[in-house]
Amino acid sequence: MSVLIIGHKNPDTDSVTAAIALAELQKMLGVDAKPCIQGPLNPESALVLEKFGFATPETCTDVTNQKYMLVDHSDIKQAPENWDKGDLQAVVDHHKIGDITTSNPILFCNMPVGCSGTVLYILYKDVYKKDIPANVAGLMLSAILSDTVMFKSPTCTQADKDAVEALAAIAGVTDIQGWFMEMAKAKGSVAGVPVRELVFRDYKDFTMSGKNVGIGQLELVSLELVASRKDELYDDIAKLKAEGNRHSVFLMLTDIMQEGTELLAVTDDPSVVEKAFGVKLEGKSCWLPKVMSRKKQMVPPLEKAFA
Ligand code: MG
Ligand code: MG
Ligand code: MG
């Protein structure tokens, strides 16, 4: 039976590619491993897999009686169903430590860097001393560019930049900027996409002081792309809030060129926005200059505001 390697719900490019890259590394170490995803690929991830010649991983949303490893998360809310009825063998991540626990010692490798791809690069190179296949390097490179918004996100570190340089050479990608823009256009494609699919493109549920809080993010090359759909997006996050007994649902419309986020907010308590960010909601939203990262600039101040 293969060890399943699984990223978070609503998979992003890092979750998909880290599962593949860790599965490849495990195979080199003699472990029968299989990458999985918990939901459909977003358009950016589909483009990345196609470019480097990988098939879409199988879907797995329940790990009952399975051996498994997690990448890009360690939160129960992001994990497959019945995480505690399977046998967790490793976590490779770059987020705050979540609430998953084990009864045995496991490989737990979490680093405060911009991407799981960077942690994997360090595991390949420094820990297990294995060569990274060119196509796998292409995946990891793409994930780091995506997660760090090509080094613009405050989550980006020197380790991410070093990994990109080395991985681009291995993968034979010479025009890094061009490849990033191609991915960014796919990531932010909105025309003709159903509204719920946009809300869920990069969406996570959190628990903050016992309250259910959802935060989605659309990373766009321009806010103009969604100008005509803001009301529709707002109405849909209002629906989502009601459906899931949530206290708040936020949707970050992040302009990666202007480097800031228009935050759409539906909440039982609008004062949390002011407490967290020092700005008042004006109608349905507010503008947060320089805010690009959910992990670093949204979750921590909101957790404080909810406390
Ligand atoms: Mg992720
Ligand atoms: Mg990531
Ligand atoms: Mg992201």
Side-chain angles (χ1 to χ4, degrees):
M1 200 170 61
S2 303
V3 179
L4 307 179
I5 309 200
I6 310 174
H8 55 71
K9 292 194 163 88
N10 297 308
D12 58 5
T13 295
D14 189 27
S15 262
V16 177
T17 60
I20 297 173
L22 182 57
E24 293 300 319
L25 176 60
Q26 290 298 323
K27 284 186 223 165
M28 289 178 191
L29 300 170
V31 177
D32 176 17
K34 185 165 77 175
C36 294
I37 49 178
Q38 291 198 61
L41 296 177
N42 71 33
E44 181 194 60
S45 306
L47 176 74
V48 168
L49 292 189
E50 196 199 322
K51 167 140 174 137
F52 295 102
F54 286 90
T56 304
E58 273 174 44
T59 301
C60 170
T61 56
D62 190 317
V63 290
T64 305
N65 296 330
Q66 301 279 350
K67 286 185 177 170
Y68 71 103
M69 300 180 178
L70 297 179
V71 291
D72 204 31
H73 71 293
S74 64
D75 281 305
I76 293 169
K77 280 222 150 144
Q78 305 298 326
E81 299 306 310
N82 294 309
W83 66 274
D84 51 346
K85 298 194 180 75
D87 179 6
L88 176 61
Q89 310 219 315
V91 173
V92 175
D93 191 20
H94 68 120
H95 292 81
K96 73 182 167 71
I97 307 302
D99 42 8
I100 292 224
T101 55
T102 64
S103 40
N104 291 310
I106 63 163
L107 171 75
F108 191 100
C109 189
N110 193 100
M111 295 182 188
V113 294
C115 182
S116 304
T118 302
V119 182
L120 280 157
Y121 171 72
I122 292 165
L123 284 177
Y124 266 94
K125 187 171 79 60
D126 297 334
V127 178
Y128 295 105
K129 313 216 186 299
K130 297 286 180 193
D131 289 332
I132 305 170
N135 56 351
V136 177
L139 297 183
M140 292 156 76
L141 163 75
S142 304
I144 301 169
L145 294 176
S146 174
D147 262 12
T148 66
V149 197
M150 187 144 184
F151 314 138
K152 283 193 220 165
S153 169
T155 58
C156 185
T157 66
Q158 189 59 43
D160 300 296
K161 294 178 185 170
D162 294 346
V164 161
E165 198 187 329
L167 291 166
I170 298 167
V173 174
T174 47
D175 183 6
I176 295 173
Q177 170 84 30
W179 174 230
F180 170 73
M181 284 311 291
E182 231 183 286
M183 285 196 300
K185 277 180 197 148
K187 194 189 224 176
S189 61
V190 295
V193 180
V195 65
R196 184 54 64 91
E197 229 174 282
L198 291 180
V199 169
F200 272 170
R201 181 165 287 169
D202 183 3
Y203 175 88
K204 288 179 181 170
D205 276 311
F206 298 87
T207 309
M208 297 189 183
S209 297
K211 303 208 167 66
N212 295 321
V213 177
I215 310 175
Q217 184 174 30
L218 279 175
E219 286 167 296
L220 304 156
V221 285
S222 162
L223 285 184
E224 280 303 308
L225 289 168
V226 289
S228 65
R229 301 190 67 180
K230 268 182 214 164
D231 289 338
E232 195 192 344
L233 287 164
Y234 183 88
D235 292 347
D236 197 62
I237 61 170
K239 247 190 244 163
L240 185 62
K241 176 182 176 298
E243 285 163 20
N245 184 31
R246 294 174 176 91
H247 176 281
S248 307
V249 177
F250 302 105
L251 183 62
M252 304 169 68
L253 305 175
T254 300
D255 187 318
I256 65 170
M257 305 313 277
Q258 266 194 79
E259 300 186 30
T261 289
E262 180 171 354
L263 187 69
L264 293 180
V266 184
T267 172
D268 290 341
D269 178 9
S271 79
V272 293
V273 173
E274 200 181 349
K275 264 188 236 159
F277 306 109
V279 278
K280 268 204 172 113
L281 280 175
E282 285 170 46
K284 298 174 175 175
S285 70
C286 57
W287 173 250
L288 304 175
K290 294 278 161 214
V291 169
M292 320 254 313
S293 165
R294 171 174 49 205
K295 181 195 291 107
K296 222 165 172 168
Q297 295 166 297
M298 287 288 299
V299 173
L302 277 171
E303 279 187 331
K304 250 189 222 158
F306 272 94

PDB file of all heavy atoms in Angstrom, residues 9 52 64 91 122 128 169 171 173 175 199 203 230 242 244 247 262 278 288 295 298 300:
ATOM      1  N   LYS A   9      -6.701  21.315   1.685  1.00  0.00           N
ATOM      2  CA  LYS A   9      -7.959  21.457   0.942  1.00  0.00           C
ATOM      3  C   LYS A   9      -7.848  22.659  -0.001  1.00  0.00           C
ATOM      4  O   LYS A   9      -7.032  23.555   0.227  1.00  0.00           O
ATOM      5  CB  LYS A   9      -9.111  21.697   1.924  1.00  0.00           C
ATOM      6  CG  LYS A   9      -9.421  20.484   2.792  1.00  0.00           C
ATOM      7  CD  LYS A   9     -10.771  20.653   3.500  1.00  0.00           C
ATOM      8  CE  LYS A   9     -11.304  19.350   4.033  1.00  0.00           C
ATOM      9  NZ  LYS A   9     -10.852  19.006   5.394  1.00  0.00           N
ATOM     10  N   PHE A  52       5.475  20.935 -17.074  1.00  0.00           N
ATOM     11  CA  PHE A  52       6.579  20.050 -16.697  1.00  0.00           C
ATOM     12  C   PHE A  52       6.245  18.570 -16.861  1.00  0.00           C
ATOM     13  O   PHE A  52       7.003  17.702 -16.414  1.00  0.00           O
ATOM     14  CB  PHE A  52       7.058  20.403 -15.285  1.00  0.00           C
ATOM     15  CG  PHE A  52       7.663  21.782 -15.237  1.00  0.00           C
ATOM     16  CD1 PHE A  52       6.943  22.855 -14.727  1.00  0.00           C
ATOM     17  CD2 PHE A  52       8.923  22.023 -15.776  1.00  0.00           C
ATOM     18  CE1 PHE A  52       7.483  24.141 -14.725  1.00  0.00           C
ATOM     19  CE2 PHE A  52       9.466  23.307 -15.784  1.00  0.00           C
ATOM     20  CZ  PHE A  52       8.743  24.369 -15.264  1.00  0.00           C
ATOM     21  N   THR A  64      -8.588   7.238   6.314  1.00  0.00           N
ATOM     22  CA  THR A  64      -8.875   6.113   7.219  1.00  0.00           C
ATOM     23  C   THR A  64      -8.023   4.904   6.835  1.00  0.00           C
ATOM     24  O   THR A  64      -8.018   4.493   5.672  1.00  0.00           O
ATOM     25  CB  THR A  64     -10.373   5.728   7.135  1.00  0.00           C
ATOM     26  OG1 THR A  64     -11.157   6.889   7.398  1.00  0.00           O
ATOM     27  CG2 THR A  64     -10.720   4.635   8.139  1.00  0.00           C
ATOM     28  N   VAL A  91       5.388  15.482   8.098  1.00  0.00           N
ATOM     29  CA  VAL A  91       4.815  16.776   7.736  1.00  0.00           C
ATOM     30  C   VAL A  91       5.949  17.627   7.167  1.00  0.00           C
ATOM     31  O   VAL A  91       7.021  17.719   7.770  1.00  0.00           O
ATOM     32  CB  VAL A  91       4.200  17.504   8.967  1.00  0.00           C
ATOM     33  CG1 VAL A  91       3.756  18.920   8.581  1.00  0.00           C
ATOM     34  CG2 VAL A  91       3.031  16.721   9.549  1.00  0.00           C
ATOM     35  N   ILE A 122      15.641  22.097   0.354  1.00  0.00           N
ATOM     36  CA  ILE A 122      16.640  21.901   1.415  1.00  0.00           C
ATOM     37  C   ILE A 122      16.700  20.419   1.832  1.00  0.00           C
ATOM     38  O   ILE A 122      17.775  19.873   2.072  1.00  0.00           O
ATOM     39  CB  ILE A 122      16.323  22.842   2.604  1.00  0.00           C
ATOM     40  CG1 ILE A 122      16.564  24.297   2.165  1.00  0.00           C
ATOM     41  CG2 ILE A 122      17.154  22.494   3.837  1.00  0.00           C
ATOM     42  CD1 ILE A 122      15.960  25.354   3.074  1.00  0.00           C
ATOM     43  N   TYR A 128      18.939  14.767   2.586  1.00  0.00           N
ATOM     44  CA  TYR A 128      19.036  13.429   1.980  1.00  0.00           C
ATOM     45  C   TYR A 128      20.076  13.343   0.869  1.00  0.00           C
ATOM     46  O   TYR A 128      20.360  12.267   0.376  1.00  0.00           O
ATOM     47  CB  TYR A 128      17.658  12.998   1.463  1.00  0.00           C
ATOM     48  CG  TYR A 128      16.669  12.831   2.585  1.00  0.00           C
ATOM     49  CD1 TYR A 128      15.667  13.773   2.808  1.00  0.00           C
ATOM     50  CD2 TYR A 128      16.763  11.749   3.462  1.00  0.00           C
ATOM     51  CE1 TYR A 128      14.767  13.630   3.868  1.00  0.00           C
ATOM     52  CE2 TYR A 128      15.871  11.600   4.517  1.00  0.00           C
ATOM     53  CZ  TYR A 128      14.872  12.537   4.710  1.00  0.00           C
ATOM     54  OH  TYR A 128      13.996  12.392   5.751  1.00  0.00           O
ATOM     55  N   ALA A 169      18.067  26.654 -12.825  1.00  0.00           N
ATOM     56  CA  ALA A 169      19.189  26.087 -13.576  1.00  0.00           C
ATOM     57  C   ALA A 169      18.952  24.598 -13.830  1.00  0.00           C
ATOM     58  O   ALA A 169      19.165  24.100 -14.942  1.00  0.00           O
ATOM     59  CB  ALA A 169      20.495  26.315 -12.811  1.00  0.00           C
ATOM     60  N   ALA A 171      16.049  23.019 -13.883  1.00  0.00           N
ATOM     61  CA  ALA A 171      14.866  22.816 -14.740  1.00  0.00           C
ATOM     62  C   ALA A 171      15.067  23.367 -16.147  1.00  0.00           C
ATOM     63  O   ALA A 171      14.280  23.078 -17.046  1.00  0.00           O
ATOM     64  CB  ALA A 171      13.642  23.465 -14.088  1.00  0.00           C
ATOM     65  N   VAL A 173      14.845  26.586 -16.901  1.00  0.00           N
ATOM     66  CA  VAL A 173      13.964  27.747 -17.107  1.00  0.00           C
ATOM     67  C   VAL A 173      14.839  29.003 -17.108  1.00  0.00           C
ATOM     68  O   VAL A 173      15.455  29.329 -16.095  1.00  0.00           O
ATOM     69  CB  VAL A 173      12.891  27.838 -15.995  1.00  0.00           C
ATOM     70  CG1 VAL A 173      12.073  29.119 -16.125  1.00  0.00           C
ATOM     71  CG2 VAL A 173      11.970  26.617 -16.037  1.00  0.00           C
ATOM     72  N   ASP A 175      13.758  32.225 -18.558  1.00  0.00           N
ATOM     73  CA  ASP A 175      12.972  33.455 -18.378  1.00  0.00           C
ATOM     74  C   ASP A 175      12.036  33.293 -17.180  1.00  0.00           C
ATOM     75  O   ASP A 175      10.849  32.987 -17.325  1.00  0.00           O
ATOM     76  CB  ASP A 175      12.181  33.758 -19.662  1.00  0.00           C
ATOM     77  CG  ASP A 175      11.407  35.062 -19.555  1.00  0.00           C
ATOM     78  OD1 ASP A 175      11.570  35.777 -18.531  1.00  0.00           O
ATOM     79  OD2 ASP A 175      10.632  35.368 -20.483  1.00  0.00           O
ATOM     80  N   VAL A 199     -14.333  32.266  -5.295  1.00  0.00           N
ATOM     81  CA  VAL A 199     -14.205  32.393  -3.837  1.00  0.00           C
ATOM     82  C   VAL A 199     -13.349  31.248  -3.282  1.00  0.00           C
ATOM     83  O   VAL A 199     -12.525  31.427  -2.396  1.00  0.00           O
ATOM     84  CB  VAL A 199     -15.604  32.403  -3.175  1.00  0.00           C
ATOM     85  CG1 VAL A 199     -15.496  32.268  -1.658  1.00  0.00           C
ATOM     86  CG2 VAL A 199     -16.356  33.678  -3.548  1.00  0.00           C
ATOM     87  N   TYR A 203      -8.930  29.295  -0.751  1.00  0.00           N
ATOM     88  CA  TYR A 203      -9.774  29.599   0.403  1.00  0.00           C
ATOM     89  C   TYR A 203      -9.416  28.685   1.571  1.00  0.00           C
ATOM     90  O   TYR A 203      -9.156  27.503   1.377  1.00  0.00           O
ATOM     91  CB  TYR A 203     -11.244  29.374   0.022  1.00  0.00           C
ATOM     92  CG  TYR A 203     -12.188  29.541   1.180  1.00  0.00           C
ATOM     93  CD1 TYR A 203     -12.709  30.782   1.508  1.00  0.00           C
ATOM     94  CD2 TYR A 203     -12.529  28.443   1.974  1.00  0.00           C
ATOM     95  CE1 TYR A 203     -13.552  30.932   2.598  1.00  0.00           C
ATOM     96  CE2 TYR A 203     -13.372  28.586   3.066  1.00  0.00           C
ATOM     97  CZ  TYR A 203     -13.881  29.831   3.368  1.00  0.00           C
ATOM     98  OH  TYR A 203     -14.706  29.979   4.448  1.00  0.00           O
ATOM     99  N   LYS A 230     -17.481  42.535  -8.186  1.00  0.00           N
ATOM    100  CA  LYS A 230     -17.313  42.662  -6.727  1.00  0.00           C
ATOM    101  C   LYS A 230     -18.599  42.403  -5.961  1.00  0.00           C
ATOM    102  O   LYS A 230     -18.578  41.741  -4.921  1.00  0.00           O
ATOM    103  CB  LYS A 230     -16.771  44.050  -6.395  1.00  0.00           C
ATOM    104  CG  LYS A 230     -15.260  44.073  -6.343  1.00  0.00           C
ATOM    105  CD  LYS A 230     -14.721  45.418  -5.972  1.00  0.00           C
ATOM    106  CE  LYS A 230     -13.419  45.647  -6.684  1.00  0.00           C
ATOM    107  NZ  LYS A 230     -13.018  47.054  -6.687  1.00  0.00           N
ATOM    108  N   ALA A 242     -23.266  32.229   5.874  1.00  0.00           N
ATOM    109  CA  ALA A 242     -24.498  31.665   6.430  1.00  0.00           C
ATOM    110  C   ALA A 242     -24.483  30.139   6.364  1.00  0.00           C
ATOM    111  O   ALA A 242     -24.858  29.456   7.321  1.00  0.00           O
ATOM    112  CB  ALA A 242     -25.700  32.219   5.676  1.00  0.00           C
ATOM    113  N   GLY A 244     -22.055  28.018   6.513  1.00  0.00           N
ATOM    114  CA  GLY A 244     -21.108  27.288   7.365  1.00  0.00           C
ATOM    115  C   GLY A 244     -21.115  27.746   8.799  1.00  0.00           C
ATOM    116  O   GLY A 244     -20.185  27.461   9.543  1.00  0.00           O
ATOM    117  N   HIS A 247     -18.534  33.134  11.591  1.00  0.00           N
ATOM    118  CA  HIS A 247     -18.613  34.475  12.171  1.00  0.00           C
ATOM    119  C   HIS A 247     -18.249  35.521  11.127  1.00  0.00           C
ATOM    120  O   HIS A 247     -18.844  36.599  11.067  1.00  0.00           O
ATOM    121  CB  HIS A 247     -17.654  34.567  13.358  1.00  0.00           C
ATOM    122  CG  HIS A 247     -17.565  35.930  13.985  1.00  0.00           C
ATOM    123  ND1 HIS A 247     -16.822  36.954  13.430  1.00  0.00           N
ATOM    124  CD2 HIS A 247     -18.146  36.445  15.109  1.00  0.00           C
ATOM    125  CE1 HIS A 247     -16.930  38.037  14.198  1.00  0.00           C
ATOM    126  NE2 HIS A 247     -17.734  37.749  15.218  1.00  0.00           N
ATOM    127  N   GLU A 262      -7.554  44.707  -1.668  1.00  0.00           N
ATOM    128  CA  GLU A 262      -8.882  45.180  -1.317  1.00  0.00           C
ATOM    129  C   GLU A 262      -9.565  44.029  -0.594  1.00  0.00           C
ATOM    130  O   GLU A 262      -9.694  42.931  -1.140  1.00  0.00           O
ATOM    131  CB  GLU A 262      -9.673  45.581  -2.561  1.00  0.00           C
ATOM    132  CG  GLU A 262     -11.060  46.059  -2.161  1.00  0.00           C
ATOM    133  CD  GLU A 262     -11.846  46.693  -3.298  1.00  0.00           C
ATOM    134  OE1 GLU A 262     -11.300  46.889  -4.398  1.00  0.00           O
ATOM    135  OE2 GLU A 262     -13.033  46.959  -3.055  1.00  0.00           O
ATOM    136  N   GLY A 278      -6.455  48.553  11.525  1.00  0.00           N
ATOM    137  CA  GLY A 278      -6.425  49.996  11.743  1.00  0.00           C
ATOM    138  C   GLY A 278      -7.155  50.794  10.672  1.00  0.00           C
ATOM    139  O   GLY A 278      -6.928  51.999  10.549  1.00  0.00           O
ATOM    140  N   LEU A 288      -6.106  47.673   1.868  1.00  0.00           N
ATOM    141  CA  LEU A 288      -4.979  47.429   2.767  1.00  0.00           C
ATOM    142  C   LEU A 288      -3.683  47.507   1.962  1.00  0.00           C
ATOM    143  O   LEU A 288      -3.291  46.533   1.306  1.00  0.00           O
ATOM    144  CB  LEU A 288      -5.113  46.045   3.416  1.00  0.00           C
ATOM    145  CG  LEU A 288      -6.411  45.771   4.188  1.00  0.00           C
ATOM    146  CD1 LEU A 288      -6.451  44.323   4.660  1.00  0.00           C
ATOM    147  CD2 LEU A 288      -6.567  46.733   5.367  1.00  0.00           C
ATOM    148  N   LYS A 295      -1.075  34.395   5.211  1.00  0.00           N
ATOM    149  CA  LYS A 295      -0.370  33.727   6.301  1.00  0.00           C
ATOM    150  C   LYS A 295       0.267  34.727   7.266  1.00  0.00           C
ATOM    151  O   LYS A 295       0.204  34.590   8.470  1.00  0.00           O
ATOM    152  CB  LYS A 295       0.703  32.851   5.655  1.00  0.00           C
ATOM    153  CG  LYS A 295       1.538  32.050   6.578  1.00  0.00           C
ATOM    154  CD  LYS A 295       2.783  31.530   5.857  1.00  0.00           C
ATOM    155  CE  LYS A 295       2.468  30.477   4.823  1.00  0.00           C
ATOM    156  NZ  LYS A 295       2.563  30.891   3.432  1.00  0.00           N
ATOM    157  N   MET A 298      -2.629  38.636   7.344  1.00  0.00           N
ATOM    158  CA  MET A 298      -4.065  38.560   7.637  1.00  0.00           C
ATOM    159  C   MET A 298      -4.329  37.747   8.903  1.00  0.00           C
ATOM    160  O   MET A 298      -4.990  38.207   9.822  1.00  0.00           O
ATOM    161  CB  MET A 298      -4.823  37.895   6.473  1.00  0.00           C
ATOM    162  CG  MET A 298      -4.963  38.738   5.234  1.00  0.00           C
ATOM    163  SD  MET A 298      -6.137  40.099   5.441  1.00  0.00           S
ATOM    164  CE  MET A 298      -7.639  39.190   5.776  1.00  0.00           C
ATOM    165  N   PRO A 300      -2.385  36.515  11.489  1.00  0.00           N
ATOM    166  CA  PRO A 300      -1.944  36.934  12.830  1.00  0.00           C
ATOM    167  C   PRO A 300      -2.707  38.150  13.388  1.00  0.00           C
ATOM    168  O   PRO A 300      -3.195  38.095  14.522  1.00  0.00           O
ATOM    169  CB  PRO A 300      -0.443  37.222  12.655  1.00  0.00           C
ATOM    170  CG  PRO A 300      -0.049  36.426  11.440  1.00  0.00           C
ATOM    171  CD  PRO A 300      -1.256  36.448  10.539  1.00  0.00           C
TER     172      PRO A 300
END
